[in-house]
Amino acid sequence: MRVAVFGAGYVGLVTGACLADLGHDVVVRDILEERIDALRRGEVPIHEQGLAELLERNRERLRFTTDVGEAIDGAEVVFVAVGTPPTASGDADLTAVWTVVDELPKVEHRVVVAMKSTVPVGTGDAVRHRLDERGLENVGYVSNPEFTAEGTAVHDFQHPDRIVVGAFDPADAEVIERLHAGIEAPVITCDVNSAEMIKLAANAFLVTRISFINEIANVCEATGADVVKVAEGIGLDHRLGPHFLRAGIGYGGSCFPKDSLALKQLAANSGYSFQLLNAVIEVNELQKRRVVGKLERHLGSIRGKKIALLGLAFKPGTDDMREAPSLVLAARLQAEGAEISAWDPIANGRAHLDGVAIAGSALEALEGADGAVIVTEWPELGEVDWAEAGSRMRQRVLVDGRNMLDPEELRAHGFEYEGIGRAAE
Ligand code: UGA
C-alpha cells in the first residue's frame, strides 16, 4: 500500500521504517528541512536500536519530504505521528495535529488518516467534525495508538501484544488491519473514543505500577525489607506479573510524565478528580528528590561536595533526555550547592545540563567525587571496576538509583552503598 507518515520523530520513523519493511511504499514528511535532508543522505537523527539498519534495508520503499502534496499523492493511509507536548495547563498541545489535519488536501480516492500521536479522548470526534466541515468526507479517520517503548521500538512494532484500531467506519479499520498483514497480533477494533482511552489507560496503569513499587520500596527502607526480593515475590503471582515492578528514582521520558498529566487534566476538565493518578504523579516527583536525602545521610551537607551522576538518559538504550530524572536531580543537587560531574554513553549532557562537568567515562566522572548516583542503569556501569573507581573517589558513597549493582560486592570494596528500598548495611 502507499502510506504517508507525518512526523519524522521516534514514532514516525519507526512506523515508516517498519511499514516499508512489510513491503509498503512509504513517504515520511516533516516540516524540519534539516531532518529531512539528513534522512535523505542516509543519516538517522535519533538513536533507536535496529532503526538505521531497517531504513537502509528499505531505502527503495522509503522517501522523505517536507512537501504535503508529495506525501499525500496516491496515499491510502496517512499516519499522524507528530508531537503532542503538554501545554502550560498540562493538557495535550494539539497544535501540530491540527496543522496536519488542516493541511490535508481534497482527494479523489479514499484516504484513511490514522492517529498515532497520543491525544485526549474526544480528539477523533473533533477531527472528524473538522474534516466534514471542510468537505473531506472521502477522508476516513482511525485511532491507531502505539505501544512501542524507546530502545526496543522496532522490535515492539514488529511483535506487538496487540494492535488497537478505533474507527468510525469499519471499512477504515479493515484498511489498517490489512496494512499490518504479516504481523502476528490480536487486533482490537472499537470506537475511536475507546481506542484513545486504551492508550492513556495503558500508560497510566504502567506508571501506577512504578509508583506503587517505589512506595513499597520506601516502606521497605523504613522497615528493613528488600524491595528487589519483594518485587520478585509479587511478580510470580500470575495475576500480577513481573513487569514494571523495578523500584528506582522514578519514571521519565517523553511519554509517561506527559500522558499521565494529560489523563489527569482530561479527567479534571470533564469534572472528575482522578485521585489515584494524582498520587502516582506526586509519588514520582518525590522519588526523584529522595536521592538528595540519601546522599546527605552519608555526607552531611552536600554544599561544596562533588557528586557524580552516572547515566543521564531517561532509561538505557536511548539518548533521550526528555523528562529524565537526571535533570531534576542535577538541579536539586546544584540548588543544595553541590558540584556535579556526569557521564552518559550517548545522551548529550552538555546540551541539557548547565554548569555540569561532562566526563568521557564513568571513571573520569568519579574522579575526586564525594558521592555517586547511578541514575540510569546502563549495562556499562555493571562493567566498571568498582575497586578502581573507589580509589579515585574522595569518599566511597554510592546511591544505586536503579538497584543494578550487588550491594555486598560494593561494600566489600569499601563503599557505603544505598539502593532504593534495599535494607541498609
Ligand atoms: C512507554 C511505554 O512502555 C510504551 O508502551 C509506550 O508506547 C510509550 O511509553 C509511549 O507512550 O510512547 P518508554 O517511555 O519508551 O515507553 O519507556 P519505558 O521502558 O516504559 O520506561 C519509562 C520510564 O519508566 C523509564 O524512566 C524507566 O526507567 C521507568 N521504569 C520502567 C521504572 O522506573 N520501573 C520499571 O519497572 C519500569
Side-chain angles (χ1 to χ4, degrees):
M1 292 166 80
R2 254 285 283 120
V3 179
V5 179
F6 278 61
Y10 280 94
V11 175
L13 283 178
V14 169
T15 303
C18 290
L19 290 174
D21 206 48
L22 284 174
H24 302 298
D25 183 16
V26 180
V27 181
V28 179
R29 187 260 177 173
D30 202 289
I31 51 170
L32 299 173
E33 272 178 41
E34 260 170 58
R35 180 160 279 219
I36 292 301
D37 287 343
L39 285 161
R40 281 184 180 146
R41 286 194 301 271
E43 292 163 22
V44 186
I46 54 171
H47 180 90
E48 188 58 52
Q49 203 186 350
L51 180 62
E53 293 82 343
L54 210 59
L55 290 171
E56 179 58 35
R57 188 163 78 220
N58 294 289
R59 267 191 112 116
E60 286 178 6
R61 282 191 292 273
L62 270 166
R63 273 179 295 143
F64 301 96
T65 184
T66 53
D67 186 67
V68 178
E70 187 185 342
I72 300 284
D73 186 29
E76 291 152 88
V77 181
V78 176
F79 279 99
V80 181
V82 295
T84 51
T87 61
S89 58
D91 299 287
D93 182 350
L94 298 180
T95 310
V97 168
W98 286 119
T99 304
V100 173
V101 171
D102 291 339
E103 277 173 343
L104 290 173
K106 284 216 158 118
V107 282
E108 297 303 319
H109 59 285
R110 181 88 178 160
V111 175
V112 180
V113 170
M115 185 59 70
K116 277 252 169 250
S117 304
T118 303
V119 293
V121 180
T123 302
D125 272 339
V127 172
R128 179 69 270 159
H129 186 70
R130 188 104 140 215
L131 291 170
D132 292 343
E133 261 179 0
R134 291 187 51 214
L136 297 179
E137 285 84 9
N138 237 354
V139 177
Y141 181 92
V142 302
S143 163
N144 175 219
E146 58 92 20
F147 302 101
T148 58
E150 281 180 29
T152 54
V154 170
H155 178 270
D156 295 348
F157 191 100
Q158 294 171 334
H159 306 92
D161 291 337
R162 75 304 209 184
I163 295 168
V164 173
V165 191
F168 294 107
D169 181 339
D172 294 335
E174 268 168 43
V175 172
I176 302 301
E177 252 188 87
R178 256 196 296 127
L179 188 70
H180 289 88
I183 293 181
E184 293 271 319
V187 178
I188 304 284
T189 47
C190 56
D191 59 282
V192 173
N193 283 350
S194 301
E196 290 166 347
M197 184 55 99
I198 288 171
K199 168 67 189 181
L200 292 173
N203 274 359
F205 201 1
L206 291 170
V207 292
T208 301
R209 284 179 71 103
I210 297 173
S211 278
F212 174 81
I213 201 66
N214 282 338
E215 287 216 283
I216 292 289
N218 299 343
V219 180
C220 281
E221 282 174 13
T223 53
D226 183 339
V227 77
V228 177
K229 276 287 153 203
V230 173
E232 192 185 333
I234 295 173
L236 284 170
D237 185 324
H238 74 276
R239 295 166 304 176
L240 301 175
H243 304 290
F244 281 73
L245 286 179
R246 278 179 287 114
I249 56 175
Y251 58 79
S254 64
C255 303
F256 281 173
K258 164 177 87 72
D259 293 351
S260 47
L261 192 61
L263 180 53
K264 170 185 155 157
Q265 296 307 350
L266 176 72
N269 296 344
S270 319
Y272 184 76
S273 168
F274 197 151
Q275 299 197 47
L276 181 59
L277 192 54
N278 296 347
V280 163
I281 294 167
E282 176 76 3
V283 167
N284 196 56
E285 281 313 310
L286 296 176
Q287 198 67 10
K288 298 178 216 169
R289 290 158 168 81
R290 274 174 72 87
V291 173
V292 179
K294 283 176 186 277
L295 287 168
E296 281 170 345
R297 223 177 357 264
H298 296 274
L299 296 171
S301 163
I302 53 173
R303 181 157 299 281
K305 301 268 167 46
K306 180 175 169 184
I307 307 296
L309 299 184
L310 305 177
L312 295 171
F314 83 94
K315 67 174 190 177
T318 174
D319 60 350
D320 201 336
M321 289 287 288
R322 284 177 286 179
E323 300 284 332
S326 63
L327 299 171
V328 171
L329 197 49
R332 276 299 303 123
L333 291 169
Q334 282 173 328
E336 294 298 324
E339 187 194 323
I340 303 174
S341 60
W343 164 84
D344 191 284
I346 53 173
N348 184 354
R350 270 187 202 93
H352 295 91
L353 295 166
D354 283 336
V356 170
I358 302 296
S361 68
L363 280 182
E364 191 189 321
L366 291 166
E367 197 75 54
D370 295 287
V373 183
I374 295 184
V375 184
T376 313
E377 65 276 36
W378 282 103
E380 285 89 333
L381 293 172
E383 311 289 309
V384 167
D385 178 344
W386 288 98
E388 162 78 12
S391 70
R392 295 195 186 199
M393 293 172 74
R394 196 151 45 202
Q395 302 190 62
R396 298 182 189 206
V397 171
L398 179 74
V399 176
D400 181 356
R402 300 293 176 182
N403 289 341
M404 72 173 293
L405 301 179
D406 176 4
E408 294 314 316
E409 192 192 324
L410 270 287
R411 284 174 189 143
H413 291 312
F415 275 87
E416 289 175 49
Y417 171 96
E418 260 211 58
I420 307 294
R422 306 178 105 174
E425 206 163 354

